[in-house]
Amino acid sequence: MIFPIEYFIGLILIGICAGFASGLLGVGGGFLIVPLQYFLLKYIGVEPNIAILISFGTSLAIIIPTALSGAYRHAKTMDGIIKPGIKLGLFGIIGGLIGGLIASTIPSRILEIIFGCLLLFIAIKNIIDINNERQEAKIPFNIISIGIIGILVGFSSGLLGVGGGIFLIAILTTLLGFSLIESIGTSSIFISLTAIGGFISYIISGWGVSTFPYSIGYVNIINFLLIAAFSVPLASIGAKISHKIPQKKLKIIFSILVLYIALKMIGILP
């Protein structure tokens, strides 16, 4: 299969946008990498069911080095984010592995709608809470809540090919009383671990099934190398900038971006 030049240009642009968003907002960038990769793969004629799974699997592979880049920058600036991020992430690996294995059994259109609806909920929740700097903790941060949250967010990560940062940030700020910037830093550590479970599951479930060239299971090597080459350095830049932007502005940027992607995945926007 010969890839057109615009395909490579598209991958580079995805890497730049997703990497910057990852560092800035404490997400893996999967909520951009998945739909943009999916649209790009369909553009070159890849069948939708294969395209969505390649997008999920490759996204998780890209998220690992991208999130680590942002996490390193956040950890240098903030104290107290490494331990909670690792604790949540260890449970997230388990959830990610389960979610990734289940994803290959669900039709692509259903996955698109699930992905879009979850993002829509998060966007609306962030818009409602736009003026809240920090909310009261509604549940304790202990081994039970860590285990439940880690596995559930990890499951969504594996199922939908995202790091799970967009879900974790909403949970940390709404239920556990974290500030937005604390949630972003903790999330960046969490998703760099969680993505490992999902990444492995997409290699296993796609082994001998995926027909897309230059792929290991549902993880495409070309997409991974080209996107990661730009997303990793941009994540570090985004993380550095996030500490200089007021939290309200960060929430506005986060909400608008998530809302747009949600409406596009559901099919409301062309």
Side-chain angles (χ1 to χ4, degrees):
M1 183 177 185
I2 300 174
F3 300 112
I5 187 67
E6 53 265 35
Y7 182 71
F8 296 105
I9 294 171
L11 293 175
I12 292 170
L13 292 175
I14 292 172
I16 292 170
C17 296
F20 186 73
S22 175
L24 184 71
L25 302 171
V27 296
F31 72 106
L32 285 173
I33 298 171
V34 169
L36 295 178
Q37 227 185 153
Y38 177 61
F39 301 142
L40 198 57
L41 286 166
K42 287 206 301 182
Y43 170 77
I44 63 170
V46 180
E47 194 268 324
N49 280 323
I50 293 292
I52 195 75
L53 292 171
I54 289 286
S55 299
F56 287 160
T58 309
S59 169
L60 288 165
I62 295 162
I63 283 168
I64 297 168
T66 304
L68 280 171
S69 175
Y72 174 74
R73 177 66 68 175
H74 284 298
K76 284 182 68 177
T77 310
M78 285 186 292
D79 295 322
I81 64 170
I82 295 176
K83 282 187 178 180
I86 291 175
K87 287 177 182 177
L88 285 161
L90 292 175
F91 284 100
I93 291 174
I94 299 168
L97 187 60
I98 298 168
L101 291 172
I102 289 174
S104 60
T105 66
I106 302 174
S108 62
R109 184 58 191 142
I110 293 176
L111 288 172
E112 286 180 65
I113 293 170
I114 293 172
F115 189 51
C117 288
L118 284 169
L119 290 181
L120 186 61
F121 168 76
I122 288 164
I124 293 169
K125 183 73 177 70
N126 271 279
I127 291 167
I128 292 170
D129 296 332
I130 207 79
N131 291 311
N132 292 345
E133 288 291 316
R134 186 194 287 266
Q135 297 184 46
E136 289 290 323
K138 297 177 178 63
I139 59 173
F141 190 72
N142 55 30
I143 189 65
I144 296 172
S145 62
I146 289 169
I148 293 171
I149 292 167
I151 289 173
L152 287 178
V153 177
F155 179 79
S156 70
S157 168
L159 184 70
L160 302 170
V162 297
I166 47 177
F167 308 130
L168 184 64
I169 290 170
I171 291 169
L172 291 179
T173 55
T174 305
L175 298 179
L176 292 165
F178 282 53
S179 71
L180 180 60
I181 196 64
E182 287 170 346
S183 300
I184 287 172
T186 304
S187 171
S188 65
I189 295 166
F190 167 82
I191 56 186
S192 61
L193 292 171
T194 299
I196 295 170
F199 160 68
I200 292 170
S201 69
Y202 279 95
I203 290 178
I204 294 170
S205 62
W207 197 267
V209 178
S210 173
T211 55
F212 194 62
Y214 312 109
S215 296
I216 303 173
Y218 288 121
V219 177
N220 183 258
I221 304 302
I222 292 176
N223 290 21
F224 168 75
L225 291 175
L226 206 50
I227 295 174
F230 289 87
S231 66
V232 171
L234 265 294
S236 181
I237 295 170
K240 187 176 181 179
I241 292 173
S242 72
H243 293 272
K244 300 178 182 179
I245 300 176
Q247 289 201 39
K248 186 174 180 179
K249 287 187 178 179
L250 270 179
K251 275 196 172 186
I252 292 170
I253 295 167
F254 181 74
S255 301
I256 291 171
L257 195 55
V258 172
L259 182 61
Y260 172 76
I261 297 296
L263 295 176
K264 196 163 181 66
M265 291 298 286
I266 293 170
I268 294 173
L269 292 178

